[in-house]
Each structure stands twice: as C-alpha cells, then as structure tokens.
Amino acid sequence: MTTIAEFSIPAEQFALRETLSRRPHLKFEIDRVVAHDTARVMPFVWVLGEGLEDLTAILDADPSVKQVELLTETDEERFYRLEWADEARIIGHMVIECGATVQRAIAAADEWTLRVLFPERSGVSAIHDFARKHGLDLDVDRLYNVDTARRVRFGLTESQHDTIVEAYKRGYYTIPRETDAVELAAELDISHQAVGERLRRATANIIENTLLVDKDGV
C-alpha cells in the first residue's frame, strides 16, 4: 500500500548542521531532490529568513555540502542547487533503494522535518532500519495512506473534511447558494450550528496550511 510518512531528524545528524547553527533564523525548504545514486544527492533549496548575507560562503564552508550553486536571489530569499555529502545519504537511500518521493523537507533551528511518499509501506520499515544501523535519530511522527493524504495535508479532521466536501458538492459555495446550513445539517445528521463550526474551522485550517505556510513556517 502506498504510504506517506512524516519524519523528523536532528540537523546535527543530517545536512546543513553548521549553516543552521550559524544562521538559526533561516528556514531551508527543499523544492525537489535529484539523486543519481544513494551517495550523490542534489536538492534544490529555497532559503528565507533573517541572515541571508554571505550565505553562499557559509554553505560552501559547511562540511555537509559538496557543491553550491546560487540559481536566483531576491532581498528576501535565495534559491540554490546543492550537492550534499554522506550525511544526507538517507535521502538517497529513500529515493534510489525504496523508490520514494520526497514531498517536503524543511529545516529550521536544529531540526529537519520530511514528508515522504513510499510506493510500499515496507519502505518505511526499511528506512527505519537504515537509520538505526547508521546511528541516526530518525523519528516517525506520522503515517497515513494516500486516501487520507489531502485531508492530513490541510490539517483537517475527518469530520471537517467530510463537511466541507459535502458543502462544496451541494453548492453551498456557489453564487447564489444552492443549499444552506440547515439542509447540510439534515444531510449530515448534525445541527446547523455544528455545520457552521466545522466549516469555519475547516476554512481556517486550509488558510493556515496553504496561504500562510511561509509566514508560519509550517
């Protein structure tokens, strides 16, 4: 079964540990990963936050980085192509050996968080064994299958997800509306107050986990 896993790992055991130590207010977010083999991992990385000055030189001096190429920059962010050293070999193992896709990888302060899609659930166990064998403190924070991936991605509870999807299908958001909270409540067998609360909370969670993601560092 296709499985999505969310991991966390200390930066000191992974990539960019010295850069993060020297510039603790920066956030690094991987755009995509190219892995030619398990030992050669080349991520494309967005960097934003306070402390962008001289960042290229700091990255170049980081022992976890083999190569640095600045692709574009603005006053508020940088976009790099990096090649990581052996410290990041677990990513190469995920991509090459397990056929996984790194959907998200973010470093802030002293920790990396990763969301990885595995074509088979056994890949999660294989990565856990790989981490233990190499002395890495890789924590599995969450596991879910692709059927619930969209709901989890937007931070919705199951009831919020079902309510907002039903509201959309029945025309609650059309102009003019084709249904109202009372009719939705009857369909879902809950009170219309509960419908309103679920929709408000669902909308707030979607905004927080999409539109405000860069601001809040999620």
Coordinates of all heavy atoms in Angstrom, one line a residue, residues 31 44-47 69-73 77-81:
D31 N 12.8 22.2 -2.6 CA 11.8 22.3 -3.7 C 11.7 20.9 -4.4 O 10.6 20.4 -4.7 CB 12.3 23.3 -4.7 CG 11.3 23.5 -5.9 OD1 10.3 24.2 -5.7 OD2 11.6 22.9 -6.9
F44 N 17.3 20.9 -4.6 CA 17.1 22.4 -5.0 C 16.4 23.0 -3.8 O 15.4 22.5 -3.3 CB 16.3 22.5 -6.2 CG 17.0 22.0 -7.5 CD1 17.1 20.7 -7.7 CD2 17.5 22.9 -8.4 CE1 17.8 20.2 -8.9 CE2 18.1 22.5 -9.5 CZ 18.3 21.2 -9.8
V45 N 17.0 24.0 -3.2 CA 16.6 24.5 -1.9 C 16.3 26.0 -1.9 O 17.1 26.8 -2.4 CB 17.7 24.2 -0.9 CG1 17.2 24.7 0.5 CG2 18.1 22.8 -0.9
W46 N 15.1 26.3 -1.4 CA 14.7 27.7 -1.1 C 15.2 28.1 0.3 O 15.0 27.3 1.2 CB 13.2 28.0 -1.3 CG 12.7 28.0 -2.7 CD1 12.1 27.0 -3.3 CD2 12.8 29.1 -3.6 NE1 11.8 27.3 -4.6 CE2 12.2 28.6 -4.8 CE3 13.4 30.4 -3.5 CZ2 12.1 29.4 -5.9 CZ3 13.3 31.2 -4.7 CH2 12.7 30.7 -5.9
V47 N 15.7 29.3 0.5 CA 16.1 29.7 1.8 C 15.5 31.1 2.0 O 15.6 32.0 1.2 CB 17.7 29.9 1.9 CG1 18.1 30.1 3.4 CG2 18.3 28.6 1.4
E69 N 25.5 26.1 -5.7 CA 25.3 26.9 -6.9 C 24.0 27.8 -6.6 O 22.9 27.3 -6.4 CB 25.0 26.1 -8.2 CG 24.8 26.9 -9.4 CD 24.5 26.1 -10.7 OE1 24.5 24.9 -10.6 OE2 24.2 26.7 -11.7
L70 N 24.2 29.1 -6.6 CA 23.1 30.0 -6.4 C 22.4 30.2 -7.7 O 23.0 30.7 -8.7 CB 23.7 31.4 -5.9 CG 22.6 32.5 -5.7 CD1 21.6 32.1 -4.6 CD2 23.4 33.8 -5.2
L71 N 21.2 29.9 -7.8 CA 20.4 29.9 -9.0 C 19.7 31.3 -9.2 O 19.6 31.8 -10.3 CB 19.4 28.8 -9.1 CG 20.0 27.4 -9.1 CD1 18.9 26.3 -9.1 CD2 21.0 27.2 -10.3
T72 N 19.1 31.8 -8.1 CA 18.5 33.1 -8.1 C 18.4 33.7 -6.7 O 18.5 32.9 -5.7 CB 17.1 33.0 -8.8 OG1 16.5 34.3 -9.0 CG2 16.1 32.2 -7.8
E73 N 18.2 35.0 -6.6 CA 18.1 35.6 -5.3 C 17.3 36.9 -5.4 O 17.2 37.5 -6.4 CB 19.5 35.9 -4.8 CG 20.2 36.9 -5.6 CD 21.6 37.2 -5.0 OE1 21.7 37.5 -3.8 OE2 22.6 37.2 -5.8
E77 N 14.9 36.0 -0.3 CA 15.1 34.6 -0.4 C 16.2 34.3 -1.4 O 16.6 35.1 -2.2 CB 13.8 33.9 -0.7 CG 13.2 34.3 -2.0 CD 11.8 33.7 -2.3 OE1 11.3 33.0 -1.4 OE2 11.2 34.0 -3.3
R78 N 16.7 33.1 -1.2 CA 17.7 32.5 -2.2 C 17.2 31.2 -2.7 O 16.5 30.5 -1.9 CB 19.0 32.4 -1.5 CG 19.6 33.6 -0.8 CD 20.2 34.6 -1.8 NE 21.0 35.6 -1.2 CZ 20.4 36.8 -0.8 NH1 19.1 37.0 -0.9 NH2 21.2 37.7 -0.2
F79 N 17.7 30.8 -3.9 CA 17.3 29.5 -4.4 C 18.6 28.9 -4.9 O 19.4 29.4 -5.7 CB 16.4 29.7 -5.6 CG 15.9 28.3 -6.1 CD1 15.4 27.4 -5.3 CD2 15.8 28.1 -7.5 CE1 14.9 26.2 -5.8 CE2 15.4 26.9 -8.0 CZ 14.9 25.9 -7.1
Y80 N 19.0 27.7 -4.3 CA 20.3 27.1 -4.5 C 20.1 25.7 -5.1 O 19.0 25.0 -4.8 CB 21.0 26.9 -3.2 CG 21.6 28.1 -2.6 CD1 20.9 28.9 -1.7 CD2 22.9 28.6 -3.0 CE1 21.5 30.0 -1.1 CE2 23.4 29.7 -2.5 CZ 22.7 30.4 -1.5 OH 23.3 31.6 -1.0
R81 N 21.1 25.2 -5.8 CA 21.2 23.8 -6.1 C 22.5 23.4 -5.3 O 23.5 23.9 -5.5 CB 21.4 23.5 -7.6 CG 21.6 22.1 -7.9 CD 21.5 21.8 -9.4 NE 22.5 22.6 -10.2 CZ 22.4 22.8 -11.5 NH1 21.4 22.3 -12.2 NH2 23.4 23.5 -12.1

